[in-house]
Amino acid sequence: MTEARSRTGQEFGLDRFLASLTGHLNEGVPLPETLRRLMHSHHGHLCDDATTVLLQWHGPQPFAPP
């Protein structure tokens, strides 16, 4: 996913991936919708397979994005 490129050749990148992910989670977007938005956010194409795994923590302390 981080290696996806836009039509202009710009790589999606790890920083953009993390910013998108934490932004949606900070807004309270449910995890399945966060994944859907993440998959559509690069507006480019993948030249290879893409794998994205999101896990939701239900432990003693809630996830607190930075």
Side-chain angles (χ1 to χ4, degrees):
M1 180 92 188
T2 57
E3 297 173 354
R5 296 194 177 273
S6 69
R7 289 187 171 91
T8 61
Q10 181 182 14
E11 190 175 74
F12 190 68
L14 182 59
D15 290 339
R16 192 167 161 200
F17 175 81
L18 292 175
S20 179
L21 180 62
T22 56
H24 293 314
L25 293 175
N26 282 336
E27 292 173 10
V29 176
L31 199 58
E33 177 62 14
T34 296
L35 179 58
R36 189 194 69 76
R37 291 181 184 187
L38 202 54
M39 297 303 291
H40 292 284
S41 63
H42 60 79
H43 297 289
H45 66 281
L46 299 171
C47 296
D48 202 350
D49 294 337
T51 302
T52 302
V53 177
L54 296 179
L55 302 173
Q56 190 167 12
W57 175 254
H58 293 282
Q61 297 179 358
F63 173 70

